[in-house]
Amino acid sequence: MSPIPQLPADFQAALASLRSARSRSELKLAEVPAPARLAPFGVALGAEIMIEGEELATGRFILLHDPQGSTLWGGTFRIVTYVRAQLEADIGNDSLLGNVAWAWLVEALAEQGAQYTNAGGTATRILSESYGSLATRPDAVDIELRASWTPTGTSISPHLEAWANIVCTFAGLPPVPEGVTLLPRRRGDTNV
């Protein structure tokens, strides 16, 4: 049995920063296995927003660390994220949806003061149409945002908080000012 490698000090500081991040109560975070082949060190969080048994959005937040650095990353850390949510068909068919999803990410990072470089990503709309015995199902449109960026430094909590806000935005939850708690949504409530 080989010994567990000692975590680098920078990665330990980044993990401590992640633990100090604030999150909204609607967003359930849990540690999930990190991809082992992308970097020597990594941690991954899965997220979901469930309201009254209905999944509104899911996602992944992965922090990778290579003490040797990566020319592709432009640093020793890389954040890789994924968010997916189902949208109303009329919103999901908007040709500017990808631009809006990317703008939400960039704005959320700026609002949290998350410093980064080398950002890139894709926004994908997925149309699901049902046929045959499933023909009674309504058409569904999902949006996926896959993005990655290189954080500057080991303060990762602003990045996680920004990403958590994006997951909430994708779920259709309104922004909440600090110190304010939303009342639970009622099924069929369109005024939230």
Side-chain angles (χ1 to χ4, degrees):
M1 182 177 229
S2 61
I4 296 174
Q6 178 66 29
L7 295 178
D10 282 352
F11 190 62
Q12 289 182 37
L15 291 175
S17 178
L18 278 177
R19 287 185 201 101
S20 71
R22 297 174 315 234
S23 181
R24 290 176 55 171
S25 62
E26 304 95 339
L27 181 69
K28 303 302 178 210
L29 290 173
E31 190 169 342
V32 296
R37 297 181 184 184
L38 299 178
F41 302 95
V43 63
L45 299 171
E48 69 177 9
I49 296 179
M50 299 282 289
I51 305 247
E52 296 179 6
E54 181 182 353
E55 180 183 276
L56 300 181
T58 61
R60 294 278 184 271
F61 181 96
I62 302 166
L63 176 65
L64 303 171
H65 179 59
D66 185 343
Q68 303 303 312
S70 166
T71 55
L72 292 174
W73 299 352
T76 59
F77 285 98
R78 188 72 174 171
I79 294 172
V80 179
T81 64
Y82 165 81
V83 181
R84 182 180 181 141
Q86 191 172 91
L87 303 174
E88 300 293 329
D90 58 334
I91 296 170
N93 286 322
D94 188 333
S95 63
L96 296 177
L97 185 59
N99 294 336
V100 171
W102 184 258
W104 285 341
L105 174 67
V106 172
E107 290 169 7
L109 289 166
E111 286 173 6
Q112 294 299 323
Q115 301 295 309
Y116 65 94
T117 63
N118 297 2
T122 61
T124 306
R125 287 179 292 148
I126 303 161
L127 172 63
S128 298
E129 299 173 302
S130 300
Y131 299 97
S133 64
L134 301 177
T136 58
R137 287 187 183 175
D139 291 352
V141 179
D142 287 7
I143 179 75
E144 289 182 356
L145 179 64
R146 296 174 187 270
S148 63
W149 60 92
T150 300
T152 56
T154 59
S155 180
I156 307 301
S157 61
H159 300 270
L160 178 58
E161 290 168 3
W163 174 80
N165 288 339
I166 290 301
V167 177
C168 291
T169 300
F170 268 54
L173 301 177
V176 178
E178 192 164 332
V180 174
T181 302
L182 288 178
L183 296 174
R185 290 173 42 154
R186 291 179 296 180
R187 214 175 213 18
D189 188 355
T190 58
N191 295 324
V192 176

